[in-house]
Amino acid sequence: GGKAKAENPTIRPFGRAHYLGAAPFLVIPGWCHGVIWGIFLNASVAIRALTMMASLAIVSVLLENGAAGGTQGNAIRHVASLLIPIVIGIQGLVTLLVIGMAIGSKWIIMGTRRQGRYNWDESSYCQRWQVYLSSLAFIRSAFYGRGVLEYIRGSAYLVWSVIGPNPFQDAPISGRL
């Protein structure tokens, strides 16, 4: 038993990289991954709030410039008639912005994926993958937890091959990650 264990160590590539420091690259500590995730999550919340704040600001400017007409009883209906299309338009723009940010973060953080093995102690790929997953908070938790892709599911936006794959002609394309 003892000699076999000495010849065949049980430590895995993750342990060699994180606990023994045997990786040929800088290993980001676990607490730092938590900080990175927190930054992306807070930025996602800020982007989510941007839609309503920008809409209210635009409606405020329109109302100050005389867009409010009619009687006092029609004021709420008039504000709603201004606010709803503006919210929908800004939310559409923010959705496209967030998808662009997700695609950009994939290329910045991950680069081009090549076939092969990516052990934790030989390549920084796994570590970069964890950072990339943290950056997806923009997509997964946006718009009150429903996610950004929920807003373009089944629409013409899915036809665009902006992420990079070239699916086969009859391959189904889904809006879920």
Side-chain angles (χ1 to χ4, degrees):
K3 186 176 181 181
K5 274 189 175 178
E7 292 173 2
N8 195 7
T10 60
I11 193 161
R12 303 279 185 207
F14 180 87
R16 282 194 293 273
H18 281 272
Y19 305 128
L20 299 180
F25 54 88
L26 174 66
V27 176
I28 300 173
W31 65 267
C32 197
H33 282 280
V35 169
I36 291 168
W37 174 80
I39 289 169
F40 280 118
L41 188 63
N42 286 323
S44 173
V45 170
I47 287 175
R48 208 170 43 221
L50 174 72
T51 302
M52 188 53 74
M53 291 180 350
S55 299
L56 289 173
I58 291 170
V59 168
S60 175
V61 168
L62 289 174
L63 291 175
E64 286 176 3
N65 290 332
T71 64
Q72 186 72 17
N74 289 334
I76 292 176
R77 188 175 303 147
H78 186 66
V79 168
S81 70
L82 288 173
L83 187 60
I84 291 171
I86 291 173
V87 168
I88 291 171
I90 290 178
Q91 188 162 331
L93 291 174
V94 169
T95 299
L96 293 176
L97 172 75
V98 166
I99 290 173
M101 289 169 49
I103 293 168
S105 70
K106 186 269 180 202
W107 288 107
I108 291 170
I109 296 169
M110 298 302 298
T112 301
R113 170 79 160 88
R114 290 185 174 63
Q115 185 178 356
R117 290 187 56 147
Y118 295 100
N119 289 332
W120 276 92
D121 61 341
E122 297 171 1
S123 169
S124 66
Y125 177 83
C126 294
Q127 183 170 248
R128 290 182 288 129
W129 179 255
Q130 294 301 318
V131 173
Y132 172 65
L133 289 179
S134 296
S135 76
L136 290 182
F138 285 118
I139 286 184
R140 292 186 178 164
S141 68
F143 301 122
Y144 311 102
R146 294 191 61 177
V148 169
L149 297 180
E150 188 72 27
Y151 288 92
I152 62 168
R153 172 183 276 169
S155 71
Y157 295 118
L158 291 176
V159 176
W160 300 345
S161 63
V162 293
I163 296 176
N166 296 320
F168 297 103
Q169 185 175 4
D170 295 328
I173 298 177
S174 173
R176 287 258 186 223
L177 277 181

